[in-house]
Structures are given as C-alpha cells and as structure tokens.
C-alpha cells in the first residue's frame, strides 16, 4: 500500500515571520499523526528558517522551482543544490503557473527531473490541461505530451523516485475542483501510460496526486479514492485548520 502524500504549495505568499509561525503550528498539530507523508513548499526566502523549524518533525521541505544548472551566471535563479543545502527533499517541477506565466517547457521539465534525481531530490512533476484544451477534447493528448517529453530517458532505477501531480489548470485557484470521476479517469490514464509507453513496472507505485482547489470540504471525497494517492494543495495550505483537515482525510482508515 502506498503512503498518501499531501503537499502544501504556499506559492508567493507569507513573509518570514508568518511562514515560521505556520510551520511551528503544523509541527505541533501533526506530532501524533502517522500514515501520511506531509511536505510544505514555502517561498525561497522562508525555506531556511522553516527548514530549521521542521527538521526534527515528520514534515518535509520542498522547493517550488529551481534552475537545472548547479551554479554560475544565472542572475535571479536558484540551484537545486541550494534547495538541498537548506533542507529540501522534494521540489515541484513544471507547475502550471511556471508553464503558463513563465514559459516553462516540457524539455526544461525533463532537464529538471534528471537533475533532481541525480541529487536525490524527489521531483513532483505537475501535468494538466487548460480549459481550452479540455473543451477541445485534447486533455489526454496534452498530458501525454507532458509525460512523454517531461519524463524522457529515465532509467529503471530512476523511475520509482517520481511523484506526479495531476493539476487541471482550470481547477487551480478557481474554487472549482475536478470531480473524483474526472480525476480517476486521468490518473488511470497516467498510470497506464507510465507502464505501457514509458516502461514503468506496475509494482513501482509512483504516487499520483491531485491538485486544484482542494479544500477541507472536498478533500475527503477526493482522497478516499484509491486512484488518488494524495493532494497538492495551494490556497487551503495557508490555513492551519484547513490544511490539517485535508491531511487527516488522506489517512487510510
Ligand atoms: P489551489 O492550488 O489549491 O489554490 O487551487 C493548487 C496548486 O496550484 O498547486
């Protein structure tokens, strides 16, 4: 059985003091919780202090993005080595806000996935269709392209290290979540694609998360589905009670 995974993506929110306060409260609230992996992805400026607060707890730290070179003249970028240095074990890669607002490509995603695996960081690769693509019947083709290029050339040893987050762009930050049926259809498609087209073994158990307007009201309905291995949570992860409620609903009863 795969352990569910819940990731809080704080995006470009919270100054250092409130970020540290939220991290401290999460450590307290989750001290007795087991049966779920919990990861938080604060903005870069809070990674170090938040990492210090959570380091002996069950919470793990993630970056929201990085550049795939190790160092050099790349003004304004952050290397994955730097994320690792401040305690990150995970990083999001190819979030739709990176793709839509900052022009990130599937080829760039692929470079980042390889770099993360080389450094022992778990890549959380985000895929998902826009509303236009869904309305045009291009959902599966879109995800297929994102997977085939984004996950190209992984060795058998590298494959189990991945996490995939299905995040339909139309559901992110809109308050309109995908229904469990819609999510299940895509998660099954992704799993089948990984096995049949990308050569993953069925036993590998890559975790596939759902993200897009997950909140404390809809999390139970989504996370009780065995096809949904956890959640990538944006807005609701900034609120202690909501995020803890979502985490609780991910735990298998
Ligand atoms: P949301 O964001 O939960 O605010 O919709 C999810 C995400 O972007 O990861």
């Amino acid at each position: 059985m795969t352990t569910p995974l819940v990731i809080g993506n704080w995006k470009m929110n919270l100054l250092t003091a409130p970020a540290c306060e939220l991290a401290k409260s999460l450590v307290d609230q989750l001290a007795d919780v087991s049966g779920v992996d919990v990861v938080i992805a604060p903005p870069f400026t809070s990674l170090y202090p938040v990492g210090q607060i959570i380091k002996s707890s069950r919470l793990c730290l993630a970056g929201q993005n990085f550049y795939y070179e190790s160092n050099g003249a790349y003004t304004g970028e952050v290397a994955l080595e730097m994320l690792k240095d401040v305690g990150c074990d995970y990083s999001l890669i190819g979030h739709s806000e990176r793709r839509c607002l900052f022009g990130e490509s599937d080829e760039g995603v692929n470079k980042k996935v390889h770099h993360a695996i080389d450094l022992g960081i778990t890549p959380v690769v985000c895929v998902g269709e826009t509303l236009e693509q869904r309305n045009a019947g291009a959902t599966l083709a879109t995800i297929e392209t994102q997977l085939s290029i984004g996950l190209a050339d992984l060795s058998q040893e590298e494959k189990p290290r991945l996490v995939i987050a299905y995040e339909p762009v139309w559901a992110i930050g809109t308050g309109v979540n995908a229904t469990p049926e819609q999510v299940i259809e895509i998660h099954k498609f992704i799993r089948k694609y990984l096995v049949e087209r990308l050569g993953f073994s069925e036993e590998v158990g890559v975790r596939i998360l759902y993200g897009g307007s997950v909140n404390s009201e809809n999390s139970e309905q989504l996370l009780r589905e065995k096809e949904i291995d956890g959640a990538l949570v944006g807005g609701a992860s900034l609120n202690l009670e909501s995020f803890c409620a979502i985490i609780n609903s991910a735990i298998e009863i």
Side-chain angles (χ1 to χ4, degrees), residues 9 11 95-97 167 171-175 211-214 232-236:
N9 173 12
K11 306 194 180 186
H95 187 282
S96 70
E97 286 151 17
E167 296 210 301
I172 295 178
T174 59
S213 295
V214 176
L232 178 50
V233 187

Side-chain angles (χ1 to χ4, degrees), residues 33-67:
V33 172
S34 60
V36 56
D37 293 335
V38 183
V39 175
I40 49 177
F44 290 137
T45 48
S46 297
L47 281 173
Y48 180 73
V50 166
Q52 293 299 303
I53 290 165
I54 68 173
K55 74 176 174 201
S56 27
S57 78
R58 55 188 329 283
L59 285 155
C60 287
L61 197 64
Q64 297 176 14
N65 181 42
F66 60 89
Y67 189 53

Side-chain angles (χ1 to χ4, degrees), residues 23-229:
K24 273 189 206 120
S25 307
L26 282 170
V27 169
D28 291 345
Q29 293 279 318
L30 300 176
D32 299 324
V33 172
S34 60
V36 56
D37 293 335
V38 183
V39 175
I40 49 177
F44 290 137
T45 48
S46 297
L47 281 173
Y48 180 73
V50 166
Q52 293 299 303
I53 290 165
I54 68 173
K55 74 176 174 201
S56 27
S57 78
R58 55 188 329 283
L59 285 155
C60 287
L61 197 64
Q64 297 176 14
N65 181 42
F66 60 89
Y67 189 53
Y68 50 75
E69 296 292 346
S70 300
N71 59 275
Y74 303 103
T75 302
E77 292 296 328
V78 170
L80 189 56
E81 284 79 352
M82 294 166 180
L83 300 187
K84 195 172 170 174
D85 185 43
V86 293
C88 289
D89 291 315
Y90 292 75
S91 183
L92 306 184
I93 296 180
H95 187 282
S96 70
E97 286 151 17
R98 301 293 323 160
R99 294 174 186 264
C100 299
L101 302 173
F102 303 101
E104 204 161 293
S105 66
D106 290 320
E107 288 75 11
V109 167
N110 185 246
K111 287 188 176 142
K112 292 181 181 188
V113 170
H114 281 277
H115 192 50
I117 290 175
D118 286 349
L119 283 186
I121 299 288
T122 301
V124 181
V125 181
C126 305
V127 298
E129 79 287 2
T130 62
L131 190 58
E132 292 69 37
Q133 288 164 331
R134 177 161 279 261
N135 289 341
T139 299
L140 300 184
T142 300
I143 292 169
E144 185 170 326
T145 304
Q146 291 169 338
L147 292 174
S148 69
I149 303 175
L151 305 184
D153 303 322
L154 292 178
S155 70
Q156 285 309 331
E157 300 77 62
E158 290 171 330
K159 287 170 179 165
R161 308 271 307 283
L162 277 179
V163 173
I164 293 180
Y166 168 54
E167 296 210 301
V169 180
W170 48 269
I172 295 178
T174 59
V176 182
N177 61 288
T179 63
E181 294 70 31
Q182 287 172 319
V183 181
I184 289 166
E185 183 204 349
I186 304 299
H187 282 206
K188 282 190 171 155
F189 170 78
I190 294 173
R191 253 182 251 284
K192 194 158 178 262
Y193 190 84
L194 293 180
V195 172
E196 290 179 5
R197 304 288 298 282
L198 297 183
F200 282 63
S201 89
E202 267 177 271
E203 292 75 54
V204 151
V206 166
R207 288 187 284 193
I208 307 179
L209 316 182
Y210 166 72
S213 295
V214 176
N215 59 37
S216 51
E217 270 95 64
N218 60 27
S219 60
E220 206 173 312
Q221 201 197 14
L222 288 158
L223 295 173
R224 69 169 172 231
E225 299 295 342
K226 75 164 182 22
E227 277 293 333
I228 306 177
D229 300 318

